[in-house]
Amino acid sequence: LLIAGATGTGKTIALYDIMLSLLFRKRPSELQFVLIDPKSVEFSQFAPIAKWFFASIEGTNEDNAIVTDCDTAIRTLNSLVKELENRYALLMDAGARGIKEYNEKFNSGLLDTSKEIREGLYHHFLPYIVTIIDEYGDFIMQSGAAIETPIARVSQLGRSVGLHLILTTQRPSVNIVTGIIKANFPTRIALRTQSAID
């Protein structure tokens, strides 16, 4: 999902509504959030539930589940790519086409949990992981391709294995939201923007 809108048009409020809806519908075992916020303040009210709902990502400070700096955001997104690859290996071994079918097989006891699929990787229940990046344009200006590449990879392949992305931006211009991102984000919410083209 791509959310675009000028400052003060309600992008963050829209994100809160989406998050609260998901939190009411899913248990922590079924859903994990990865929150990336360059402004450092937008998701602070979700910190008290971090240990229940936020995925702990390799190389990040577990006490602060909300990612606020560019380097940690890149490491986090690269960890998601690794998770994506692991999930595809699990689905391939299980003969499942998607996360729903895989979890049904797991819950029915049809998967051998003692079998090592890759080094340190065994069959386990797969929660959905929703990654939310507030003000994506800020990260693109700082790091460009380093952050765009893992986002493109997860957006291209993530849906069937339960990895989902929500991006917000003030300026959905071509240098911020490139063709690769546009092609892989089929769902958009447009709030008031600077121009009709945006």
Side-chain angles (χ1 to χ4, degrees):
L1 169 65
L2 179 64
I3 303 175
T7 306
T9 56
K11 293 188 302 297
T12 305
I13 302 302
L15 281 182
Y16 291 169
D17 288 344
I18 292 165
M19 287 177 68
L20 289 171
S21 174
L22 291 169
L23 287 167
F24 275 115
R25 292 170 64 91
K26 297 285 181 189
R27 294 185 181 92
S29 60
E30 300 172 309
L31 171 73
Q32 297 280 284
F33 280 112
V34 176
L35 298 182
I36 301 175
D37 174 23
K39 290 183 268 188
S40 309
V41 293
E42 299 296 359
F43 296 129
S44 56
Q45 62 267 47
F46 290 99
I49 60 166
K51 63 182 177 188
W52 290 287
F53 277 98
F54 299 148
S56 68
I57 300 293
E58 222 176 275
T60 60
N61 179 2
E62 285 186 24
D63 295 333
N64 184 13
I66 299 157
V67 176
T68 56
D69 67 279
C70 196
D71 290 340
T72 310
I74 292 166
R75 282 202 312 275
T76 301
L77 290 165
N78 286 326
S79 291
L80 283 169
V81 171
K82 191 175 169 187
E83 175 70 15
L84 172 86
E85 290 164 356
N86 286 342
R87 287 185 174 210
Y88 269 104
L90 291 171
L91 261 68
M92 192 170 76
D93 185 76
R97 293 190 64 210
I99 187 173
K100 200 170 177 184
E101 186 184 342
Y102 176 88
N103 283 336
E104 282 169 4
K105 284 188 173 188
F106 180 84
N107 289 334
S108 303
L110 300 173
L111 303 177
D112 181 3
T113 55
S114 62
K115 179 184 174 186
E116 191 171 35
I117 312 303
R118 283 185 181 171
E119 189 183 341
L121 181 65
Y122 299 86
H123 284 296
H124 60 283
F125 183 86
L126 298 178
Y128 287 91
I129 299 177
V130 178
T131 302
I132 300 176
I133 305 178
D134 195 20
E135 201 37 69
Y136 167 68
D138 188 63
F139 286 125
I140 281 290
M141 286 188 295
Q142 287 180 61
S143 62
I147 205 157
E148 186 185 29
T149 304
I151 285 174
R153 188 93 197 280
V154 173
S155 64
Q156 282 170 340
L157 300 170
R159 278 187 293 279
S160 62
V161 290
L163 300 182
H164 298 279
L165 285 164
I166 301 173
L167 305 183
T168 73
T169 183
Q170 292 176 9
R171 296 185 323 281
S173 55
V174 73
N175 59 328
I176 302 292
V177 182
T178 62
I180 295 169
I181 298 295
K182 275 184 186 170
N184 291 295
F185 280 74
T187 313
R188 292 106 186 255
I189 295 175
L191 304 171
R192 184 171 50 80
T193 55
Q194 297 293 340
S195 69
I197 292 165
D198 288 346

